[in-house]
Amino acid sequence: MNISFFYGMKVESTAGKNGYVIGVNVRGDRLECLKCADGNENEFLIDAQNIVKYCEDKIIFEDREAAIRDSVPMRLGKPVFDCNGIYLGNLTDFSVDCDTLTAAHVGKKKFPANEIVCGDAVIVKDRERVLKSDVKKDGKVILKRGTPLNDEALQIARREGEYVQANLKSL
């Protein structure tokens, strides 16, 4: 591949950012980055290590600069609450697999990392709603009180025409 291949080539990030190459930066014998511009002629750089794929008509890249800019510092010790505002404890740690957070540790409890929202405090999303009273149709109990309102229960409620009732009885 020749360096002239890059000039004018369209670029697209995995997150949807688009533009085209206006220059190539090197250091010694290494390609360091591509200098690009978007449709409004705003310039940005693509680190050569973030290039995912070279296609015939465009270059696909991972926009690490935007990801880093959008990241937030993670401080342990933040207070943790559920969606009802009940204090669960303090954030003590995270489990990490490669570069992915898998679980948040709150004391001896673990919560899936994708079920939390971090800010000044940590909020644990409601993972599963539970029916607080029976869902009935024509006097017949379709779903009993205490049943988790998961996909299976919602399908039963939808089939019986009581989807709204089931959702309301979980609040």
Side-chain angles (χ1 to χ4, degrees):
M1 181 182 307
N2 296 327
I3 205 163
S4 60
F5 168 81
F6 296 108
Y7 290 95
M9 179 68 74
K10 292 180 184 178
V11 295
E12 182 179 313
S13 78
T14 54
K17 183 177 184 178
N18 294 303
Y20 61 95
V21 178
I22 59 175
V24 178
N25 291 4
V26 297
R27 183 176 57 167
D29 63 348
R30 291 197 48 171
L31 172 67
E32 283 295 318
C33 66
L34 303 177
K35 188 173 184 181
C36 302
D38 63 14
N40 295 324
E41 299 303 319
N42 297 317
E43 295 182 2
F44 61 95
L45 298 173
I46 299 173
D47 189 327
Q49 294 177 348
N50 293 337
I51 295 173
V52 176
K53 183 176 169 185
Y54 299 104
C55 301
E56 288 182 26
D57 60 338
K58 64 184 167 188
I59 298 168
I60 308 293
F61 70 98
E62 186 176 7
D63 192 358
R64 297 294 307 141
E65 184 178 313
I68 290 170
R69 193 173 44 251
D70 292 341
S71 66
V72 294
M74 180 48 62
R75 285 184 302 108
L76 299 178
K78 291 181 180 184
V80 180
F81 300 92
D82 69 6
C83 284
N84 296 319
I86 296 172
Y87 176 71
L88 302 175
N90 288 340
L91 182 65
T92 55
D93 212 343
F94 273 100
S95 296
V96 180
D97 184 16
C98 293
D99 63 348
T100 303
L101 299 177
T102 57
H105 300 256
V106 180
K108 294 184 180 185
K109 296 180 185 175
K110 286 185 182 180
F111 298 96
N114 61 351
E115 294 292 330
I116 64 165
V117 178
C118 292
D120 291 336
V122 178
I123 307 295
V124 177
K125 298 179 196 174
D126 280 337
R127 292 185 296 190
E128 195 167 79
R129 297 178 291 162
V130 176
L131 290 173
K132 295 183 177 157
S133 61
D134 293 340
V135 175
K136 298 178 183 178
K137 182 175 183 180
D138 300 326
K140 178 184 168 195
V141 176
I142 298 168
L143 297 169
K144 292 185 178 186
R145 186 177 117 234
T147 302
L149 198 58
N150 53 25
D151 291 337
E152 182 182 335
L154 286 172
Q155 285 177 350
I156 293 168
R158 185 176 288 124
R159 184 176 60 236
E160 296 292 330
E162 298 299 332
Y163 182 81
V164 173
Q165 182 186 173
N167 276 293
L168 290 174
K169 292 200 174 184
S170 70
L171 299 177

